[in-house]
Amino acid sequence: LYDPDVLELQGLLLQDEEFPDVTLRSSEHLQVLRQLGLLQVLSMASILTVANRINASQDAALGMKLLKYLDAHFDELDASPQQLEDLKCIAWLPCTDIATKFPHLPYPERKKVLCEPAVARPVKDIHLCSCHGTSING
């Protein structure tokens, strides 16, 4: 279970499944739960679960929250090379339609809102992408 007082986890995790029951969210209960090991940082397994949920729901806003969380906490992750490879192959990353954003470039129009990190580049690297590449929205 995760600490409900960690605000950046609020939008990423399911309230009913990944946080203590609402009857156990008083400051006294949470203090005891923290002493017992209530988590305050996402595990890599939880990140993969969130990424799969984003992929299934096609929720680009949730994808952006996960991207911001990973940007802030990547150095703290205890991830195996296989877990990182798995994360790169899940379509959870919000992407932009390059043809709409840069109409003067010869890119085909795309309707995808999410893409795999393995095929995405930041918008500042658009000149390095082929027309088959994808650009991160953000």
Side-chain angles (χ1 to χ4, degrees):
L1 293 177
Y2 287 90
D3 191 335
D5 287 344
V6 179
L7 296 179
E8 60 190 347
L9 299 181
Q10 287 293 327
L12 291 173
L13 301 174
L14 300 174
Q15 292 291 322
D16 296 342
E17 296 177 20
E18 296 162 311
F19 292 109
D21 188 71
V22 292
T23 59
L24 299 173
R25 293 192 189 175
S26 69
S27 58
E28 296 84 22
H29 285 112
L30 288 175
Q31 184 178 10
V32 171
L33 289 172
R34 287 182 190 115
Q35 291 173 349
L36 293 172
L38 191 64
L39 301 172
Q40 296 186 340
V41 177
L42 285 178
S43 68
M44 194 60 201
S46 291
I47 289 171
L48 289 169
T49 300
V50 171
N52 280 311
R53 192 169 65 242
I54 292 166
N55 183 19
S57 67
Q58 292 294 294
D59 186 344
L62 187 55
M64 186 57 74
K65 286 181 184 180
L66 181 58
L67 178 61
K68 288 177 181 178
Y69 181 86
L70 288 172
D71 188 45
H73 297 281
F74 190 79
D75 293 336
E76 302 166 25
L77 290 179
D78 185 21
S80 70
Q82 183 59 52
Q83 288 173 317
L84 292 175
E85 193 61 36
D86 291 347
L87 185 62
K88 287 180 3 183
C89 296
I90 300 169
W92 64 269
L93 190 63
C95 57
T96 189
D97 182 7
I98 299 170
T100 302
K101 192 166 185 131
F102 301 100
H104 57 282
L105 295 177
Y107 285 83
E109 188 173 337
R110 288 194 172 75
K111 298 298 180 200
K112 289 181 5 177
V113 295
L114 300 172
C115 62
E116 301 86 356
V119 298
R121 301 287 302 206
V123 173
K124 69 178 181 67
D125 292 347
I126 193 71
H127 63 286
L128 300 174
C129 295
S130 75
C131 68
H132 303 290
T134 308
S135 176
I136 298 170
N137 185 14

